[in-house]
Amino acid sequence: MALLEGKTGLIFGVANHRSYAWHIAKALVAHGADCAFAAHPDEKLMQRAREAVDQLDLSRPWIEPCDAGRDEDLDAVFAAYARDHARLDFVVHSIAFADREWLSPGTFVGTPRQSYLQAIDISAYTLVAMADRSREQMAAGGGGSILAMTYYGSEKVVPGYNVMGVAKAALEASSRYLAADLGPDNIRVNTISGGPLRTLAASGIAGFRQILTHNAERAPLRRNVEGQDVGGVATFLVSDLSSGITGENIYVDCGVNTIGL
Ligand code: NAD
């Protein structure tokens, strides 16, 4: 029997076939999970997300629009999911947003209030909002696994990561508080700290190419991560093999976070 057979869940954040969410979905599907998707409602983004989901060759692709910054959209997508699926075993949060005007080295100090709040809202608060809407259906099925994508720029200064680093710190802290609240329902909440990967979101960070070069040179594994590295760990975190792990952050970065000098 496949590792994730019988598990069904909802994935947020497929923009295209380069997205971390897409690599996670590919791995979960390969291990027998049934994946449903929510994507940003912008017409072009939705179309690209549909094309990426089509590449997964699912027998009955399920994808609904959701601007995670709108409570009514989140209500609608979780209601639609519950209407069409008997179980909710996992939720993958792989979304983030920050105004790219403030994502270059030396500009953090000028971040306007609205850009700061927007980054925290879309990149961190949405995890809380999704967990709250997942709770009832997950608990009814005996528990579940919620996971979110983060990055090392939450802990140390990575030039240009700026307000996104602040948002990731909030995301990681939120996952620990959520893990504490939801643990009694056997709902686990964890984050994966992924290494740099060329995606649409990454293209907004000035100096991203230098981050890739630096990591490949310094990481113990002497390379950058690939989507499948994160897909494998996501599979583990969704599976019952990780039944005792919650409130944790797991680095999938070829070890670069362990290097001091
Ligand atoms: P991506 O551009 O493929 O995915 C980002 C997704 O966020 C897109 O699907 C976008 O539509 C979605 N999104 C943004 N605002 C939204 C909103 N209001 N409502 C709904 N969806 C919204 O890029 P990615 O790199 O795959 O990013 C996925 C996650 O991985 C993010 O949390 C990112 O911070 C994290 N991450 C990325 C890297 C990297 O180097 N690419 C490294 C570590 C962590």
Side-chain angles (χ1 to χ4, degrees):
M1 180 170 135
L3 187 59
L4 301 181
E5 202 167 311
K7 292 204 188 286
T8 303
L10 186 52
I11 298 180
F12 289 82
V14 171
N16 53 45
H17 71 284
R18 295 179 195 273
S19 299
Y20 260 133
W22 188 85
H23 292 286
I24 291 171
K26 190 166 185 234
L28 299 185
V29 167
H31 287 279
D34 187 1
C35 295
F37 298 87
H40 194 286
D42 173 272
E43 213 174 299
K44 265 193 200 149
L45 294 178
M46 194 70 201
Q47 182 52 33
R48 280 194 209 127
R50 278 187 208 287
E51 286 165 15
V53 167
D54 281 348
Q55 290 179 41
L56 294 168
D57 281 334
L58 306 178
S59 54
R60 286 178 302 120
W62 192 100
I63 179 163
E64 288 285 321
C66 175
D67 179 344
R70 295 165 55 95
D71 284 339
E72 54 273 37
D73 280 24
L74 285 165
D75 287 340
V77 81
F78 276 94
Y81 177 90
R83 181 195 64 214
D84 295 343
H85 301 84
R87 305 179 53 80
L88 178 61
D89 298 294
F90 60 88
V91 168
V92 175
H93 176 289
S94 189
I95 68 172
F97 182 82
D99 184 346
R100 63 169 65 198
E101 191 179 343
W102 304 101
L103 297 181
S104 43
T107 62
F108 175 67
V109 63
T111 313
R113 184 187 302 265
Q114 192 43 41
S115 302
Y116 188 102
L117 294 178
Q118 186 186 33
I120 299 251
D121 179 19
I122 304 301
S123 315
Y125 173 71
T126 50
L127 179 66
V128 181
M130 287 175 197
D132 191 35
R133 287 163 177 81
S134 304
R135 184 177 199 165
E136 195 179 324
Q137 197 180 9
M138 272 191 180
S145 174
I146 298 173
L147 63 95
M149 288 303 303
T150 188
Y151 176 60
Y152 186 57
S154 62
E155 298 166 57
K156 303 286 178 190
V157 172
V158 174
Y161 203 60
N162 297 10
V163 70
M164 190 55 84
V166 174
K168 290 303 191 192
L171 178 77
E172 291 168 24
S174 300
S175 86
R176 290 188 286 273
Y177 280 94
L178 290 169
D181 274 7
L182 301 179
D185 287 328
N186 194 33
I187 297 170
R188 301 181 291 109
V189 188
N190 294 289
T191 54
I192 294 177
S193 188
L197 185 73
R198 278 184 200 280
T199 62
L200 205 57
S203 69
I205 298 161
F208 186 74
R209 211 177 304 148
Q210 285 96 301
I211 298 177
L212 281 173
T213 309
H214 172 91
N215 274 29
E217 281 167 2
R218 287 172 41 112
L221 294 181
R222 297 288 188 275
R223 65 173 178 90
N224 279 305
V225 282
E226 291 174 16
Q228 65 188 28
D229 295 315
V230 163
V233 175
T235 301
F236 166 67
L237 285 174
V238 165
S239 82
D240 296 338
L241 291 177
S242 59
S243 56
I245 298 179
T246 194
E248 294 293 347
N249 180 35
I250 300 183
Y251 298 94
V252 186
D253 63 353
C254 298
V256 78
N257 76 92
T258 64
I259 300 298
L261 266 182

